[in-house]
Amino acid sequence: MATVSVCQYHPGGFSFENCKRNALLEADINKLGFSSPAARKTGTTICGVVYKDGVVLGADTRATEGMVVADKNCSKIHYISPNIYCCGAGTAADTEMTTQIISSNLELHSLSTGRLPRVATANRMLKQMLFRYQGYIGAALVLGGVDCNGPHLYSIYPHGSTDKLPYVTMGSGSLAAMAVFEDRYRPNMEEEEAKRLVRDAIAAGIFNDLGSGSNIDLCVISKGKVDYLRPHDVANKKGVRTGSYRYKHGTTGVLTKAVTPLSLEVVEENVQTMDTS
Amino acid sequence: MNTRGLRSQLKDSVPVTGLCPQAGPYGVQDSLRRGFSSVKNELLPSHPLELSEKNFQLNQDKMNFNTLRNIQGLHAPLKLQMEYRAARQIQRLPFLPSSNLALDTLRGSDDTIGFEDFLNDPVQSEMMGDPHIMTEYKLGIL
């Protein structure tokens, strides 16, 4: 009887052992008509803008799982270092773990150099990691911060390309937010004006995109100061019932009941899926 | 210990059955040591990233050594490779996982954190080879 008696050394990290099994299971499940569980995404609106003294980052707070809202108040602005924050769109787990890994690496790096970390360093680390995994890590990020060279804002795509711009938007609601930016952005704004602009851009994404919703979070980063406003604006309050609908004691019970079914026929069926990416 | 350079250590394919993939010293399948083989499992990589991840560390080293050679001359990578070879030989018994501290320090990965540090950490692996068989294999007695 042959057994595998010599164990090969596995260096750690991702293991691809189950890929073939998963592909087989996927094919079988689809034949039976069911669908495999979907990853939780953050169909999102995130954006950032550079103003006179620093950077304002904004995000909505809805996390979706297919067509269902999985989290009504999730936090999409992640901490990277005391002067750098990062908004994440795409698969929620990927953005969470990626930003945590880069935050740890930046901390070790800054302890090693003895200086406050720079935004360009975080950008370089993120893009090298995302390129290494060829887009399989679905994290689209807006990275902003203030370092010794001034305020910086980067947008990072899942395949590893980055852009350094004065205003950026990402997520499924990015087009709505970008429309607001293109209309009202001007260089060297004041802090209040920048906050209002970002708030309006995220609100545009929330009200015009199904994948974004709930509240607006804001993060204002300037030299030596970070304001993490969560929530900055509760745009969607849950409705309050105007009256009590309980029956009073002593209400008459039901005496008789007659049911007449109406026969209807389905004339037309129309399914539209929304793009939550 | 492979005495040739980095290039020959690259795994440029997932091994193919029948063309000495699990070949032991006699050129046939080594079922005792590597288990049964099947064509379907071994013909193609199961994920596009599998090969690039297997070779990632090697490719990084190659790139770094090439840059070092271009900047500082041939002696720099040669000296460093000698130190790597020495550090790689500091291991524990064949069936125990080694921390590779010296190798990590040389590479500079002792102050970075990546997926290999908390996913599938070999220190926490649930399988271990049989100590006697592993030592015999290492000494070439098996």
Side-chain angles (χ1 to χ4, degrees), chain A residues 60-86:
Chain A
D60 72 306
T61 58
R62 174 182 288 185
T64 54
E65 213 167 286
M67 298 274 141
V68 175
V69 173
D71 192 345
K72 283 185 284 224
N73 200 354
C74 77
S75 155
K76 297 186 192 178
I77 306 186
H78 308 286
Y79 166 90
I80 302 261
S81 85
N83 59 329
I84 304 174
Y85 278 73
C86 181

PDB file of all heavy atoms in Angstrom, chain A residues 60-86:
ATOM      1  N   ASP A  60     -19.785  56.323   0.836  1.00  0.00           N
ATOM      2  CA  ASP A  60     -21.113  55.980   1.339  1.00  0.00           C
ATOM      3  C   ASP A  60     -20.942  54.819   2.310  1.00  0.00           C
ATOM      4  O   ASP A  60     -19.815  54.443   2.643  1.00  0.00           O
ATOM      5  CB  ASP A  60     -22.043  55.615   0.173  1.00  0.00           C
ATOM      6  CG  ASP A  60     -21.674  54.280  -0.423  1.00  0.00           C
ATOM      7  OD1 ASP A  60     -20.499  54.109  -0.792  1.00  0.00           O
ATOM      8  OD2 ASP A  60     -22.543  53.403  -0.488  1.00  0.00           O
ATOM      9  N   THR A  61     -22.043  54.215   2.796  1.00  0.00           N
ATOM     10  CA  THR A  61     -21.864  53.171   3.807  1.00  0.00           C
ATOM     11  C   THR A  61     -22.684  51.910   3.530  1.00  0.00           C
ATOM     12  O   THR A  61     -23.089  51.215   4.453  1.00  0.00           O
ATOM     13  CB  THR A  61     -22.259  53.697   5.204  1.00  0.00           C
ATOM     14  OG1 THR A  61     -23.613  54.126   5.149  1.00  0.00           O
ATOM     15  CG2 THR A  61     -21.370  54.810   5.643  1.00  0.00           C
ATOM     16  N   ARG A  62     -22.946  51.586   2.254  1.00  0.00           N
ATOM     17  CA  ARG A  62     -23.755  50.391   1.985  1.00  0.00           C
ATOM     18  C   ARG A  62     -22.881  49.271   1.456  1.00  0.00           C
ATOM     19  O   ARG A  62     -22.061  49.489   0.561  1.00  0.00           O
ATOM     20  CB  ARG A  62     -24.845  50.731   0.958  1.00  0.00           C
ATOM     21  CG  ARG A  62     -25.644  49.505   0.499  1.00  0.00           C
ATOM     22  CD  ARG A  62     -26.659  49.862  -0.537  1.00  0.00           C
ATOM     23  NE  ARG A  62     -27.766  50.610   0.042  1.00  0.00           N
ATOM     24  CZ  ARG A  62     -28.844  50.962  -0.639  1.00  0.00           C
ATOM     25  NH1 ARG A  62     -28.939  50.651  -1.914  1.00  0.00           N
ATOM     26  NH2 ARG A  62     -29.819  51.639  -0.074  1.00  0.00           N
ATOM     27  N   ALA A  63     -23.066  48.060   1.984  1.00  0.00           N
ATOM     28  CA  ALA A  63     -22.366  46.885   1.464  1.00  0.00           C
ATOM     29  C   ALA A  63     -23.411  45.917   0.923  1.00  0.00           C
ATOM     30  O   ALA A  63     -24.369  45.582   1.614  1.00  0.00           O
ATOM     31  CB  ALA A  63     -21.541  46.217   2.566  1.00  0.00           C
ATOM     32  N   THR A  64     -23.234  45.471  -0.346  1.00  0.00           N
ATOM     33  CA  THR A  64     -24.235  44.608  -0.973  1.00  0.00           C
ATOM     34  C   THR A  64     -23.708  43.196  -1.169  1.00  0.00           C
ATOM     35  O   THR A  64     -22.511  42.969  -1.285  1.00  0.00           O
ATOM     36  CB  THR A  64     -24.627  45.151  -2.354  1.00  0.00           C
ATOM     37  OG1 THR A  64     -23.439  45.314  -3.116  1.00  0.00           O
ATOM     38  CG2 THR A  64     -25.346  46.455  -2.239  1.00  0.00           C
ATOM     39  N   GLU A  65     -24.628  42.236  -1.206  1.00  0.00           N
ATOM     40  CA  GLU A  65     -24.273  40.843  -1.455  1.00  0.00           C
ATOM     41  C   GLU A  65     -25.199  40.379  -2.561  1.00  0.00           C
ATOM     42  O   GLU A  65     -26.298  39.889  -2.300  1.00  0.00           O
ATOM     43  CB  GLU A  65     -24.513  40.039  -0.180  1.00  0.00           C
ATOM     44  CG  GLU A  65     -23.572  38.895   0.033  1.00  0.00           C
ATOM     45  CD  GLU A  65     -23.667  38.366   1.457  1.00  0.00           C
ATOM     46  OE1 GLU A  65     -23.177  39.037   2.358  1.00  0.00           O
ATOM     47  OE2 GLU A  65     -24.285  37.310   1.644  1.00  0.00           O
ATOM     48  N   GLY A  66     -24.809  40.574  -3.811  1.00  0.00           N
ATOM     49  CA  GLY A  66     -25.737  40.290  -4.901  1.00  0.00           C
ATOM     50  C   GLY A  66     -26.750  41.422  -4.959  1.00  0.00           C
ATOM     51  O   GLY A  66     -26.413  42.578  -5.117  1.00  0.00           O
ATOM     52  N   MET A  67     -28.035  41.098  -4.802  1.00  0.00           N
ATOM     53  CA  MET A  67     -29.062  42.131  -4.865  1.00  0.00           C
ATOM     54  C   MET A  67     -29.541  42.557  -3.490  1.00  0.00           C
ATOM     55  O   MET A  67     -30.528  43.268  -3.361  1.00  0.00           O
ATOM     56  CB  MET A  67     -30.277  41.609  -5.642  1.00  0.00           C
ATOM     57  CG  MET A  67     -29.975  41.269  -7.056  1.00  0.00           C
ATOM     58  SD  MET A  67     -30.105  42.716  -8.093  1.00  0.00           S
ATOM     59  CE  MET A  67     -28.745  42.448  -9.162  1.00  0.00           C
ATOM     60  N   VAL A  68     -28.867  42.087  -2.432  1.00  0.00           N
ATOM     61  CA  VAL A  68     -29.352  42.348  -1.074  1.00  0.00           C
ATOM     62  C   VAL A  68     -28.357  43.255  -0.369  1.00  0.00           C
ATOM     63  O   VAL A  68     -27.144  43.108  -0.544  1.00  0.00           O
ATOM     64  CB  VAL A  68     -29.475  41.008  -0.313  1.00  0.00           C
ATOM     65  CG1 VAL A  68     -29.845  41.239   1.116  1.00  0.00           C
ATOM     66  CG2 VAL A  68     -30.489  40.112  -0.986  1.00  0.00           C
ATOM     67  N   VAL A  69     -28.863  44.159   0.466  1.00  0.00           N
ATOM     68  CA  VAL A  69     -27.966  45.002   1.252  1.00  0.00           C
ATOM     69  C   VAL A  69     -27.471  44.189   2.435  1.00  0.00           C
ATOM     70  O   VAL A  69     -28.251  43.758   3.287  1.00  0.00           O
ATOM     71  CB  VAL A  69     -28.709  46.263   1.750  1.00  0.00           C
ATOM     72  CG1 VAL A  69     -27.826  47.038   2.691  1.00  0.00           C
ATOM     73  CG2 VAL A  69     -29.107  47.121   0.581  1.00  0.00           C
ATOM     74  N   ALA A  70     -26.162  43.969   2.511  1.00  0.00           N
ATOM     75  CA  ALA A  70     -25.625  43.128   3.577  1.00  0.00           C
ATOM     76  C   ALA A  70     -25.331  43.952   4.833  1.00  0.00           C
ATOM     77  O   ALA A  70     -25.472  43.465   5.939  1.00  0.00           O
ATOM     78  CB  ALA A  70     -24.350  42.444   3.113  1.00  0.00           C
ATOM     79  N   ASP A  71     -24.920  45.205   4.653  1.00  0.00           N
ATOM     80  CA  ASP A  71     -24.560  46.034   5.801  1.00  0.00           C
ATOM     81  C   ASP A  71     -25.005  47.454   5.518  1.00  0.00           C
ATOM     82  O   ASP A  71     -24.603  48.035   4.517  1.00  0.00           O
ATOM     83  CB  ASP A  71     -23.047  45.976   6.011  1.00  0.00           C
ATOM     84  CG  ASP A  71     -22.635  46.576   7.343  1.00  0.00           C
ATOM     85  OD1 ASP A  71     -23.456  47.276   7.970  1.00  0.00           O
ATOM     86  OD2 ASP A  71     -21.488  46.348   7.745  1.00  0.00           O
ATOM     87  N   LYS A  72     -25.860  48.003   6.398  1.00  0.00           N
ATOM     88  CA  LYS A  72     -26.384  49.341   6.128  1.00  0.00           C
ATOM     89  C   LYS A  72     -25.435  50.429   6.583  1.00  0.00           C
ATOM     90  O   LYS A  72     -25.615  51.575   6.254  1.00  0.00           O
ATOM     91  CB  LYS A  72     -27.728  49.534   6.841  1.00  0.00           C
ATOM     92  CG  LYS A  72     -28.875  48.830   6.138  1.00  0.00           C
ATOM     93  CD  LYS A  72     -30.175  49.152   6.809  1.00  0.00           C
ATOM     94  CE  LYS A  72     -30.278  48.380   8.092  1.00  0.00           C
ATOM     95  NZ  LYS A  72     -31.594  47.779   8.293  1.00  0.00           N
ATOM     96  N   ASN A  73     -24.452  50.073   7.406  1.00  0.00           N
ATOM     97  CA  ASN A  73     -23.570  51.121   7.908  1.00  0.00           C
ATOM     98  C   ASN A  73     -22.155  50.566   8.037  1.00  0.00           C
ATOM     99  O   ASN A  73     -21.635  50.428   9.120  1.00  0.00           O
ATOM    100  CB  ASN A  73     -24.074  51.606   9.268  1.00  0.00           C
ATOM    101  CG  ASN A  73     -23.524  52.969   9.597  1.00  0.00           C
ATOM    102  OD1 ASN A  73     -22.690  53.489   8.871  1.00  0.00           O
ATOM    103  ND2 ASN A  73     -23.991  53.545  10.677  1.00  0.00           N
ATOM    104  N   CYS A  74     -21.534  50.238   6.906  1.00  0.00           N
ATOM    105  CA  CYS A  74     -20.179  49.712   6.984  1.00  0.00           C
ATOM    106  C   CYS A  74     -19.201  50.859   6.768  1.00  0.00           C
ATOM    107  O   CYS A  74     -19.538  51.883   6.189  1.00  0.00           O
ATOM    108  CB  CYS A  74     -19.961  48.607   5.972  1.00  0.00           C
ATOM    109  SG  CYS A  74     -19.738  49.170   4.302  1.00  0.00           S
ATOM    110  N   SER A  75     -17.987  50.669   7.257  1.00  0.00           N
ATOM    111  CA  SER A  75     -17.018  51.751   7.210  1.00  0.00           C
ATOM    112  C   SER A  75     -16.066  51.504   6.058  1.00  0.00           C
ATOM    113  O   SER A  75     -15.374  50.490   6.023  1.00  0.00           O
ATOM    114  CB  SER A  75     -16.264  51.794   8.535  1.00  0.00           C
ATOM    115  OG  SER A  75     -15.020  52.385   8.349  1.00  0.00           O
ATOM    116  N   LYS A  76     -16.038  52.399   5.078  1.00  0.00           N
ATOM    117  CA  LYS A  76     -15.212  52.171   3.897  1.00  0.00           C
ATOM    118  C   LYS A  76     -13.949  53.002   3.883  1.00  0.00           C
ATOM    119  O   LYS A  76     -13.151  52.870   2.949  1.00  0.00           O
ATOM    120  CB  LYS A  76     -16.029  52.493   2.637  1.00  0.00           C
ATOM    121  CG  LYS A  76     -17.212  51.588   2.511  1.00  0.00           C
ATOM    122  CD  LYS A  76     -17.948  51.790   1.230  1.00  0.00           C
ATOM    123  CE  LYS A  76     -19.265  51.064   1.317  1.00  0.00           C
ATOM    124  NZ  LYS A  76     -20.086  51.218   0.156  1.00  0.00           N
ATOM    125  N   ILE A  77     -13.778  53.868   4.863  1.00  0.00           N
ATOM    126  CA  ILE A  77     -12.552  54.664   4.909  1.00  0.00           C
ATOM    127  C   ILE A  77     -11.622  53.984   5.902  1.00  0.00           C
ATOM    128  O   ILE A  77     -11.887  53.950   7.106  1.00  0.00           O
ATOM    129  CB  ILE A  77     -12.838  56.116   5.326  1.00  0.00           C
ATOM    130  CG1 ILE A  77     -13.894  56.706   4.402  1.00  0.00           C
ATOM    131  CG2 ILE A  77     -11.571  56.942   5.233  1.00  0.00           C
ATOM    132  CD1 ILE A  77     -14.152  58.153   4.626  1.00  0.00           C
ATOM    133  N   HIS A  78     -10.524  53.417   5.400  1.00  0.00           N
ATOM    134  CA  HIS A  78      -9.637  52.607   6.239  1.00  0.00           C
ATOM    135  C   HIS A  78      -8.404  53.396   6.635  1.00  0.00           C
ATOM    136  O   HIS A  78      -7.878  54.201   5.879  1.00  0.00           O
ATOM    137  CB  HIS A  78      -9.202  51.355   5.469  1.00  0.00           C
ATOM    138  CG  HIS A  78     -10.340  50.585   4.901  1.00  0.00           C
ATOM    139  ND1 HIS A  78     -11.177  49.809   5.666  1.00  0.00           N
ATOM    140  CD2 HIS A  78     -10.796  50.473   3.639  1.00  0.00           C
ATOM    141  CE1 HIS A  78     -12.088  49.263   4.885  1.00  0.00           C
ATOM    142  NE2 HIS A  78     -11.886  49.638   3.657  1.00  0.00           N
ATOM    143  N   TYR A  79      -7.913  53.073   7.838  1.00  0.00           N
ATOM    144  CA  TYR A  79      -6.719  53.739   8.348  1.00  0.00           C
ATOM    145  C   TYR A  79      -5.480  53.089   7.756  1.00  0.00           C
ATOM    146  O   TYR A  79      -5.362  51.862   7.746  1.00  0.00           O
ATOM    147  CB  TYR A  79      -6.721  53.594   9.872  1.00  0.00           C
ATOM    148  CG  TYR A  79      -5.422  53.916  10.559  1.00  0.00           C
ATOM    149  CD1 TYR A  79      -5.156  55.203  10.978  1.00  0.00           C
ATOM    150  CD2 TYR A  79      -4.483  52.922  10.815  1.00  0.00           C
ATOM    151  CE1 TYR A  79      -3.971  55.500  11.627  1.00  0.00           C
ATOM    152  CE2 TYR A  79      -3.301  53.215  11.448  1.00  0.00           C
ATOM    153  CZ  TYR A  79      -3.049  54.502  11.860  1.00  0.00           C
ATOM    154  OH  TYR A  79      -1.872  54.790  12.499  1.00  0.00           O
ATOM    155  N   ILE A  80      -4.565  53.886   7.251  1.00  0.00           N
ATOM    156  CA  ILE A  80      -3.302  53.328   6.756  1.00  0.00           C
ATOM    157  C   ILE A  80      -2.169  53.787   7.676  1.00  0.00           C
ATOM    158  O   ILE A  80      -1.330  53.003   8.089  1.00  0.00           O
ATOM    159  CB  ILE A  80      -3.020  53.784   5.315  1.00  0.00           C
ATOM    160  CG1 ILE A  80      -4.169  53.374   4.406  1.00  0.00           C
ATOM    161  CG2 ILE A  80      -1.707  53.263   4.811  1.00  0.00           C
ATOM    162  CD1 ILE A  80      -3.935  52.154   3.623  1.00  0.00           C
ATOM    163  N   SER A  81      -2.154  55.072   7.987  1.00  0.00           N
ATOM    164  CA  SER A  81      -1.145  55.580   8.921  1.00  0.00           C
ATOM    165  C   SER A  81      -1.727  56.880   9.470  1.00  0.00           C
ATOM    166  O   SER A  81      -2.749  57.338   8.979  1.00  0.00           O
ATOM    167  CB  SER A  81       0.191  55.781   8.203  1.00  0.00           C
ATOM    168  OG  SER A  81       0.231  57.032   7.583  1.00  0.00           O
ATOM    169  N   PRO A  82      -1.127  57.478  10.508  1.00  0.00           N
ATOM    170  CA  PRO A  82      -1.770  58.644  11.113  1.00  0.00           C
ATOM    171  C   PRO A  82      -2.044  59.776  10.126  1.00  0.00           C
ATOM    172  O   PRO A  82      -2.966  60.560  10.339  1.00  0.00           O
ATOM    173  CB  PRO A  82      -0.755  59.112  12.169  1.00  0.00           C
ATOM    174  CG  PRO A  82       0.056  57.935  12.479  1.00  0.00           C
ATOM    175  CD  PRO A  82       0.080  57.079  11.257  1.00  0.00           C
ATOM    176  N   ASN A  83      -1.296  59.840   9.034  1.00  0.00           N
ATOM    177  CA  ASN A  83      -1.533  60.922   8.085  1.00  0.00           C
ATOM    178  C   ASN A  83      -2.051  60.454   6.745  1.00  0.00           C
ATOM    179  O   ASN A  83      -2.149  61.242   5.798  1.00  0.00           O
ATOM    180  CB  ASN A  83      -0.229  61.707   7.864  1.00  0.00           C
ATOM    181  CG  ASN A  83       0.873  60.795   7.338  1.00  0.00           C
ATOM    182  OD1 ASN A  83       0.899  59.609   7.668  1.00  0.00           O
ATOM    183  ND2 ASN A  83       1.765  61.324   6.527  1.00  0.00           N
ATOM    184  N   ILE A  84      -2.380  59.166   6.622  1.00  0.00           N
ATOM    185  CA  ILE A  84      -2.828  58.611   5.339  1.00  0.00           C
ATOM    186  C   ILE A  84      -4.058  57.738   5.571  1.00  0.00           C
ATOM    187  O   ILE A  84      -4.034  56.854   6.425  1.00  0.00           O
ATOM    188  CB  ILE A  84      -1.741  57.727   4.680  1.00  0.00           C
ATOM    189  CG1 ILE A  84      -0.455  58.519   4.503  1.00  0.00           C
ATOM    190  CG2 ILE A  84      -2.198  57.228   3.333  1.00  0.00           C
ATOM    191  CD1 ILE A  84       0.680  57.660   3.991  1.00  0.00           C
ATOM    192  N   TYR A  85      -5.142  57.998   4.804  1.00  0.00           N
ATOM    193  CA  TYR A  85      -6.327  57.152   4.867  1.00  0.00           C
ATOM    194  C   TYR A  85      -6.678  56.686   3.468  1.00  0.00           C
ATOM    195  O   TYR A  85      -6.284  57.303   2.472  1.00  0.00           O
ATOM    196  CB  TYR A  85      -7.507  57.925   5.481  1.00  0.00           C
ATOM    197  CG  TYR A  85      -7.482  57.940   6.987  1.00  0.00           C
ATOM    198  CD1 TYR A  85      -6.548  58.715   7.670  1.00  0.00           C
ATOM    199  CD2 TYR A  85      -8.352  57.161   7.725  1.00  0.00           C
ATOM    200  CE1 TYR A  85      -6.505  58.722   9.044  1.00  0.00           C
ATOM    201  CE2 TYR A  85      -8.326  57.170   9.107  1.00  0.00           C
ATOM    202  CZ  TYR A  85      -7.391  57.952   9.762  1.00  0.00           C
ATOM    203  OH  TYR A  85      -7.338  57.954  11.139  1.00  0.00           O
ATOM    204  N   CYS A  86      -7.446  55.570   3.385  1.00  0.00           N
ATOM    205  CA  CYS A  86      -7.709  54.953   2.090  1.00  0.00           C
ATOM    206  C   CYS A  86      -9.154  54.502   2.019  1.00  0.00           C
ATOM    207  O   CYS A  86      -9.619  53.794   2.913  1.00  0.00           O
ATOM    208  CB  CYS A  86      -6.767  53.759   1.926  1.00  0.00           C
ATOM    209  SG  CYS A  86      -6.960  52.925   0.380  1.00  0.00           S
TER     210      CYS A  86
END
